[in-house]
Amino acid sequence: DEPLVRSVTSRILERMGLQVVSACNGAEALDVFDRRSSDIAIVLLDMSMPVMSGPECFRRLRERSRVPILLVSGFAQDRQAQELLTSSATGFLDKPFTAAELNEQVERILGGLLTPTRLSS
């Protein structure tokens, strides 16, 4: 939801060799996903976003696809994130996270789909 966090996260993912599309809120994220779903291998979804909440966006994404979704939140004890993890979310990153933590989660989720460069935090 925060422009600086989105920008830094995008750069880390691009350094891993991924192409990144981003959205500034949940409604825009769904629009981007609808237009580019065949290009999207993983979704990083902030739990707290303007216009449409992370949990609502998650539910709507799940209606469309089984794409891996990595939840991100600044609240480690986010009850809603824990509920989504027990249903079908693929992982959780607590903000602030390091480049190495992001790299580790993306590698774990995408497995053999890419060979990302190891990043240092």
Side-chain angles (χ1 to χ4, degrees), residues 47 71 76-87 92:
M47 292 299 294
L71 303 175
Q77 300 302 318
D78 190 317
R79 182 185 54 78
Q80 290 179 312
Q82 295 305 316
E83 290 172 4
L84 296 177
L85 280 168
T86 60
S87 64
F92 179 82

Side-chain angles (χ1 to χ4, degrees), residues 18-21 32-43 67:
L18 298 170
Q19 292 182 354
V20 177
V21 292
V32 168
F33 189 82
D34 287 342
R35 288 184 284 114
R36 308 272 313 264
S37 63
S38 63
D39 299 327
I40 297 174
I42 186 173
V43 172
V67 66

